[in-house]
Amino acid sequence: LRRALEQEQFVLHYQPKVNLDTREITGVEALIRWQDPETGLVPPNQFIPLLEQTGLILPVGAWAISKAAADGRRLSEMGLNAPRIAVNVSAIQLRQRKFVASVEQAIGRDQHGIDLEITESLLMDDIQANIEKLKSLRALAVELAIDDFGTGHSSLAYLAKLPVQTLKIDRSFIKSMGNDPDAMTIVSTMISLAHAMRLKVVAEGVETEEQAKMLRLLRCDEMQGYLFSKPVPLALLEALLK
Ligand code: C2E
Ligand code: CA
Ligand code: CA
């Protein structure tokens, strides 16, 4: 993995998020892969834990943010309507004292719209320290989303105080929504909760028109999933944006 970083074998694929009513692209999420010359494209679940154990997640995480920012600049330069790009952040990154400075440095001078996604369980871990960091990130015009919402343990008292703009409902709820009335109730409740706190809601892992239709009825704002597009390399994203 160290060699992979040195030899620039990591790549970012991009998965669009779309408005549930208009199906217009509202932003994209950057998802890392390792282009291993021996075995081909390796998905993140197979190497992120190892990056975290070795601390390599710090340089690789910083690389992901600067690469996303560079790709965003490229899209603007091409005259495309460049979407905001959300990058996933790991616990180890967030825990660093200098996390905010490292994000600022990775984004670079010209503020292309870079956002961050942080998992729910992670945010609630050291809430007081995290609120301060999140506020500083907001000051850099970085928007923040709570990822995998519903799988962790959120304190509702804190949720209202967190400087976040978006909740992403975890794929597991979307998956069971169609055949499990309880899952449907939970999704509906999460959407109402988010809206009551003036947060935007994104449903993850939407694969069928039926799910999209239900989510639209439940007034979910945006969706992401194979129904609209899988994560794609930059060149394909360019085509999607034209
Ligand atoms: P995540 O942030 O929850 O990302 C969503 C995952 O669901 C992605 O898997 C995506 O490809 C997949 N997905 C999207 N739509 C659908 C769908 O309709 N059906 C199904 N079955 N899956 C769908 P991926 O790319 O394998 O990423 C897995 C996880 O790895 C991510 O989960 C994220 O936690 C982590 N990850 C990815 N890139 C980075 C990164 O740059 N840094 C860090 N720290 N973590 C990353
Ligand atoms: Ca994510
Ligand atoms: Ca997620």
Side-chain angles (χ1 to χ4, degrees), residues 13-75:
H13 282 189
Y14 293 98
Q15 186 179 37
K17 288 176 255 191
V18 296
N19 181 292
L20 260 162
D21 295 326
T22 64
R23 304 266 166 121
E24 279 168 336
I25 297 178
T26 53
V28 299
E29 176 177 5
L31 294 155
I32 199 168
R33 278 97 181 80
W34 172 25
Q35 184 70 62
D36 180 358
E38 277 155 37
T39 60
L41 210 57
V42 183
N45 293 337
Q46 285 180 31
F47 61 86
I48 297 248
L50 203 54
L51 289 178
E52 291 180 333
Q53 280 164 36
T54 55
L56 271 174
I57 192 71
L58 296 179
V60 174
W63 171 84
I65 297 172
S66 39
K67 175 66 174 148
D71 286 351
R73 279 193 292 275
R74 179 183 154 87
L75 295 174

Side-chain angles (χ1 to χ4, degrees), residues 175-197:
K175 203 175 164 176
S176 25
M177 206 172 50
N179 48 30
D180 176 358
D182 290 341
M184 169 79 109
T185 305
I186 293 171
V187 170
S188 168
T189 306
M190 287 195 280
I191 293 170
S192 306
L193 175 73
H195 285 163
M197 296 194 301

Side-chain angles (χ1 to χ4, degrees), residues 185-237:
T185 305
I186 293 171
V187 170
S188 168
T189 306
M190 287 195 280
I191 293 170
S192 306
L193 175 73
H195 285 163
M197 296 194 301
R198 293 191 223 301
L199 300 176
K200 193 169 74 179
V201 202
V202 182
E204 296 187 321
V206 177
E207 294 184 351
T208 67
E209 279 296 344
E210 198 195 351
Q211 290 166 340
K213 201 170 143 195
M214 271 188 235
L215 288 162
R216 200 164 168 230
L217 287 174
L218 296 175
R219 301 254 177 277
C220 185
D221 302 295
E222 297 176 10
M223 68 169 174
Q224 195 178 15
Y226 295 171
L227 174 64
F228 184 80
S229 170
K230 291 198 166 183
V232 294
L234 184 66
L236 277 179
L237 177 65

